[in-house]
Amino acid sequence: MPGQFEPIPGGGAAVALDEVEISIIRSLAVQLLELIGPGPGGEVSDDPLAELFAEGPSEPPADPVMQRLLPDAYGGPGSEGGASDADELRAYSAEFRRFTENDLRAKKRDDALVVIRSLDSMTASGEGGAVLKLSVEDSRNWLGALNDLRLAIGTRLEVSDEEDADLLYRLPDSDPRKPMVMAYLWLGGLQETLVGTLLD
């Protein structure tokens, strides 16, 4: 089980993690939370209906990572078509973003919080490690968070396709991006094995 998720009886998944791995995933999830930011208005509303009808931003975020996590619904820069088509797509994207971005951010926050809370609730199993056991629902949250983390790291590494990803394997150890690359590849392995447990 080291380094990969395996299915557990009754559904869900389990993975053995050492203290360093726990610390890395937790730190990345906290950074993701900080990047996504608080909900509308910066705090949780006492009125669920007000939150439900709160409008989000209509412009895409400036940060390339957030653009990747919250992409335009109807194409982005470089979309096919003439100027009038591009203007129309931008208007559709702005309208779509206004009504969906808050919910999407909330989902991503929830996923990251499930990761942090499940790591915080782990009990050591000796030799500085522990086995993380997830329900099917928590597995789905983890899958969402792992995907977001890989998208964020991949964007910082400027990975846009498989060819870029293949180049990462050949980076010399002296390259300052190497630790980030190792995290990207490791999270990809975790994500792949977690998907496998959900498909079983």
Side-chain angles (χ1 to χ4, degrees), residues 23-36:
S23 175
I24 290 170
I25 297 173
R26 191 182 190 289
S27 173
L28 289 172
V30 168
Q31 290 175 53
L32 182 63
L33 270 179
E34 291 170 354
L35 188 63
I36 293 166

Side-chain angles (χ1 to χ4, degrees), residues 5-199:
F5 279 98
E6 293 182 2
I8 55 177
V15 63
L17 298 170
D18 64 31
E19 286 181 1
V20 173
E21 292 167 333
I22 293 167
S23 175
I24 290 170
I25 297 173
R26 191 182 190 289
S27 173
L28 289 172
V30 168
Q31 290 175 53
L32 182 63
L33 270 179
E34 291 170 354
L35 188 63
I36 293 166
E43 46 193 60
V44 178
S45 169
D46 291 336
D47 182 0
L49 283 178
E51 224 171 89
L52 180 66
F53 293 108
E55 292 184 7
S58 58
E59 293 298 316
D63 185 330
V65 170
M66 289 307 296
Q67 287 176 17
R68 187 73 178 96
L69 293 175
L70 304 166
D72 276 331
Y74 300 99
S79 295
E80 299 291 325
S84 65
D85 290 340
D87 289 342
E88 194 172 321
L89 287 177
R90 271 194 295 275
Y92 289 146
S93 287
E95 189 72 1
F96 187 82
R97 181 177 297 279
R98 196 160 59 95
F99 292 109
T100 61
E101 185 171 309
N102 286 343
D103 288 341
L104 189 54
R105 282 180 184 260
K107 171 70 172 106
K108 292 178 183 302
R109 269 192 302 276
D110 289 346
D111 289 344
L113 281 169
V114 166
V115 168
I116 292 165
R117 289 176 182 145
S118 58
L119 291 173
D120 288 349
S121 69
M122 291 175 70
T123 54
S125 62
E127 303 207 10
V131 174
L132 173 68
K133 292 184 180 178
L134 301 173
S135 66
V136 173
E137 186 177 341
D138 286 349
S139 294
R140 290 190 183 108
N141 292 116
W142 264 75
L143 196 55
L146 288 172
N147 186 60
D148 288 342
L149 289 171
R150 290 194 75 239
L151 285 173
I153 294 171
T155 302
R156 292 286 190 242
L157 290 170
E158 299 179 352
V159 174
S160 59
D161 57 29
E162 275 308 308
E163 197 171 296
D164 291 339
D166 288 341
L167 292 174
L168 299 179
Y169 288 100
R170 296 193 288 275
L171 279 180
D173 289 343
S174 58
D175 192 300
R177 297 170 296 169
K178 190 71 173 191
M180 201 183 312
V181 167
M182 297 305 292
Y184 177 79
L185 298 173
W186 173 57
L187 293 173
L190 286 175
Q191 183 180 16
E192 187 177 331
T193 59
L194 185 53
V195 167
T197 69
L198 292 170
L199 295 176

